[in-house]
Amino acid sequence: MRVLPNLLVFPWESMTENNCNTYVISGDKNILIDPGHYHLLPQLERKMRRDGLFFDDIDLVLATHPHPDHIEGAAAWNDKDCLIAAHLDAVEFMERYEKFWEDTTRRTLPVINFDFLLREGKLKVGEHTLRVIGTPGHCPGSVCFFWEEGKVLFSGDVIFFQSFGRFDLPGGDPLELFQSIEKLVQIDAEVLAPGHGPAIQGRGSVKQNFYIVLELFQQMVAEEVKRNGGSVKL
Ligand SMILES: [Zn+2]
């Protein structure tokens, strides 16, 4: 579904099966962010087709982080005339935890042929400029993308509508996640496009959501500290 002239959103709405939202920035180059699970790609393909967009139209596939519900489907573009990229720590993470994810999902994960690896900084793709922001904490190799022309922040599993990502999975770290969210507050986004759940539109609403989430995070840590009698401070 087209929500901005150059932005298509394919929200994941099933309550019975987990998968991520997929986004496509369209233009002289089409960039797809987070293809989701490999076995659920037919649903994405159907939704994209309704907007006149085909897998073969995609020039670049990006993943916000290396969890299978975000990155796995990228393998569908291995042999297409399309580039695939993720952060360098993401690729290392996938190799290290392949067995963990195969045990967790009870499926064999497809091999993804990455064409290049992301680092923090600007990524120019045709007419589009993406700022790659390193945001560890949910998992190693987690990045957010700020699309400068559309002022859209693709936040993966770092921050959602009134909520934040898990940090109890392998490589997760609450302090890093908190710092990553604080880093994102500085971005002048008009739309927050998270990996799960609804998007947030409007500069004021995006900012307010950041403050609500940081507050929630601090409350959670304070309760945790009280429970453990420790003195963790974020
Ligand atoms: Zn995740």
Side-chain angles (χ1 to χ4, degrees):
M1 149 183 37
R2 201 172 279 278
V3 293
L4 289 176
N6 278 343
L7 178 66
L8 293 105
V9 179
F10 304 103
W12 183 256
E13 283 158 336
S14 165
M15 303 295 266
T16 51
E17 202 159 10
N18 173 53
N19 202 17
C20 69
N21 297 329
T22 298
Y23 299 95
V24 174
I25 301 170
S26 67
D28 62 348
K29 296 286 180 197
N30 294 317
I31 308 167
L32 186 144
I33 297 173
D34 282 351
H37 273 304
Y38 189 84
H39 70 285
L40 297 172
L41 283 173
Q43 299 196 34
L44 175 64
E45 201 165 20
R46 252 196 320 274
K47 288 182 198 166
M48 283 172 59
R49 213 182 305 139
R50 271 185 233 138
D51 283 305
L53 199 64
F54 299 86
F55 278 10
D56 284 344
D57 296 329
I58 302 301
D59 299 289
L60 173 64
V61 173
L62 296 173
T64 56
H65 64 287
H67 285 160
D69 61 335
H70 290 252
I71 203 168
E72 203 189 352
W77 280 269
N78 277 345
D79 301 319
K80 292 188 187 293
D81 185 16
C82 169
L83 299 177
I84 305 173
H87 191 271
L88 67 151
D89 293 346
V91 178
E92 192 192 303
F93 175 86
M94 285 171 79
E95 283 163 9
R96 189 177 327 154
Y97 289 103
E98 189 181 356
K99 173 132 178 37
F100 171 85
W101 291 114
E102 293 198 335
D103 290 348
T104 306
T105 59
R106 287 194 222 104
R107 281 181 291 107
T108 305
L109 300 180
V111 173
I112 302 169
N113 300 331
F114 293 99
D115 294 284
F116 67 99
L117 301 176
L118 302 170
R119 289 166 193 277
E120 257 197 334
K122 283 199 180 178
L123 180 66
K124 203 74 188 119
V125 188
E127 63 187 309
H128 311 297
T129 315
L130 291 179
R131 209 185 305 164
V132 180
I133 307 150
T135 49
H138 174 61
C139 78
S142 161
V143 290
C144 293
F145 301 107
F146 181 56
W147 173 39
E148 294 193 342
E149 290 80 13
K151 293 204 177 299
V152 180
L153 178 62
F154 301 93
S155 62
D157 284 2
V158 176
I159 180 166
F160 310 111
F161 173 66
Q162 298 193 356
S163 171
F164 49 85
R166 290 174 65 169
F167 46 77
D168 57 336
L169 292 166
D173 183 300
L175 180 58
E176 276 186 343
L177 183 62
F178 187 82
Q179 288 166 341
S180 291
I181 296 171
E182 277 195 316
K183 194 169 166 185
L184 294 177
V185 182
Q186 321 302 326
I187 309 263
D188 185 29
E190 282 174 9
V191 178
L192 184 82
H196 303 274
I200 301 170
Q201 297 212 36
R203 187 180 275 119
S205 304
V206 171
K207 277 268 180 283
Q208 195 188 14
N209 189 65
F210 272 114
Y211 298 132
I212 290 170
V213 169
L214 286 170
E215 175 92 34
L216 266 175
F217 209 124
Q218 278 166 322
Q219 271 173 20
M220 181 204 70
V221 171
E223 278 163 27
E224 191 71 13
V225 168
K226 219 189 297 169
R227 232 190 337 262
N228 297 332
S231 59
V232 179
K233 186 159 169 29
L234 282 175

